[in-house]
Amino acid sequence: MSVDIEDVSAISSVLKLLGDKTRMTILSYLKGHELCVCELVDLLHVSQPAMSQHLKKLRLAGIIRERKQGTWVYYSLNEQLPKYVSVVIETLPNQNLGNYRNPDCC
Amino acid sequence: MSVDIEDVSAISSVLKLLGDKTRMTILSYLKGHELCVCELVDLLHVSQPAMSQHLKKLRLAGIIRERKQGTWVYYSLNEQLPKYVSVVIETLPNQNLGNYRNPDCC
DNA sequence: CAATTATATATCCACATGATTATATTATGA
DNA sequence: TCATAATATAATCATGTGGATATATAATTG
């Protein structure tokens, strides 16, 4: 079985993206369910522009995917992540959405 | 079997450390063998103070260990790393030291 | 088409971070 | 003890990065 060797530059730039508390929290919320931008804004108490920029970075790095539906944009974890990324995400706690209901939307 | 869940803040601060090309290269060189500071300076073409500061950060984060022997300080990977860290390190390419010989020391 | 809603982008700013230079520390050996 | 070598720390600086505010875009609805 071949090993998943990658370029040091590529790995470190992905890890730099992951090395942000807000982005890691986003990823922990995306474990299991897709969420739209306004839900993430709601859950993380982060401004909408800030959220938008974090999501853009994660998307450009291929870590998350977007699905547009009308005005809403739903984000979810990308399947087929490099192993070292998926292990990091597995290590994150599962966020408990509790009785949070999808606002329709914000 | 219990899962290795950690705090989001703790994980992101470790990943921030790993998200640096120089530090990742240091770790790739430390795979398999301990190296002293001057050897790392030599191999990475990084200034001695810069190297010293990177090593300090990695050591304070518990990713590497130091072993002092006279004036020399040897660094090596810490065993017992969190899984997500060791997977990252395993993903790094093994650096070929070629016919590089331990300078005695610099 | 106008108004509204969800999201994205642009600009600016405060702060963190990595590199460099200079200096300090520590150990060794003459 | 003095000189030297290996490493660490301090100070400074330039650059990068995240957040806030303002504005733009795009889709929906009346």
Side-chain angles (χ1 to χ4, degrees):
Chain A
M1 202 163 33
S2 77
V3 200
D4 202 37
I5 298 290
E6 292 189 37
D7 179 60
V8 174
S9 290
I11 297 179
S12 57
S13 54
V14 169
L15 292 177
K16 179 173 296 187
L17 268 188
L18 298 183
D20 176 272
K21 187 177 176 180
T22 302
R23 284 190 291 268
M24 287 297 272
T25 309
I26 291 172
L27 296 179
S28 73
Y29 271 105
L30 292 182
K31 286 178 73 174
H33 18 66
E34 67 176 9
L35 290 170
C36 75
V37 179
C38 64
E39 288 174 307
L40 287 166
V41 165
D42 223 28
L43 290 164
L44 296 207
H45 309 297
V46 166
S47 77
Q48 178 270 318
M51 179 59 67
S52 201
Q53 303 190 48
H54 283 303
L55 291 170
K56 182 177 187 177
K57 289 182 182 179
L58 291 171
R59 179 174 49 81
L60 291 179
I63 299 173
I64 61 176
R65 301 168 23 210
E66 70 177 16
R67 181 176 67 86
K68 300 194 178 185
Q69 180 177 314
T71 347
W72 290 268
V73 181
Y74 291 91
Y75 285 92
S76 57
L77 293 180
N78 206 339
E79 306 90 23
Q80 294 295 78
L81 289 170
K83 180 177 181 186
Y84 71 97
V85 176
S86 52
V87 168
V88 165
I89 292 176
E90 285 161 17
T91 307
L92 295 173
N94 294 299
Q95 297 289 350
N96 187 357
L97 295 195
N99 55 0
Y100 175 79
R101 53 165 204 79
N102 188 316
D104 200 26
C105 186
C106 297
Chain B
M1 199 165 36
S2 76
V3 199
D4 203 36
I5 299 290
E6 292 190 37
D7 179 60
V8 173
S9 291
I11 297 178
S12 58
S13 55
V14 169
L15 292 177
K16 178 173 297 188
L17 268 189
L18 298 182
D20 177 273
K21 188 177 176 180
T22 302
R23 283 190 292 266
M24 287 297 271
T25 309
I26 291 172
L27 295 179
S28 74
Y29 272 104
L30 290 182
K31 287 177 73 175
H33 18 67
E34 66 175 11
L35 290 170
C36 73
V37 178
C38 64
E39 288 172 308
L40 287 166
V41 165
D42 222 29
L43 290 164
L44 297 206
H45 309 298
V46 166
S47 76
Q48 178 270 317
M51 179 59 68
S52 200
Q53 303 188 46
H54 283 303
L55 292 170
K56 182 178 187 178
K57 290 182 182 180
L58 291 170
R59 180 173 49 79
L60 291 180
I63 299 173
I64 61 175
R65 302 167 22 208
E66 70 176 17
R67 181 175 67 88
K68 300 193 177 185
Q69 180 176 313
T71 348
W72 292 267
V73 181
Y74 291 91
Y75 285 91
S76 57
L77 294 180
N78 205 339
E79 307 89 23
Q80 293 295 79
L81 289 169
K83 180 175 181 187
Y84 72 96
V85 176
S86 52
V87 169
V88 166
I89 292 176
E90 285 161 17
T91 308
L92 295 172
N94 295 298
Q95 298 289 350
N96 188 357
L97 295 194
N99 54 359
Y100 176 78
R101 54 162 205 81
N102 188 317
D104 200 26
C105 187
C106 297

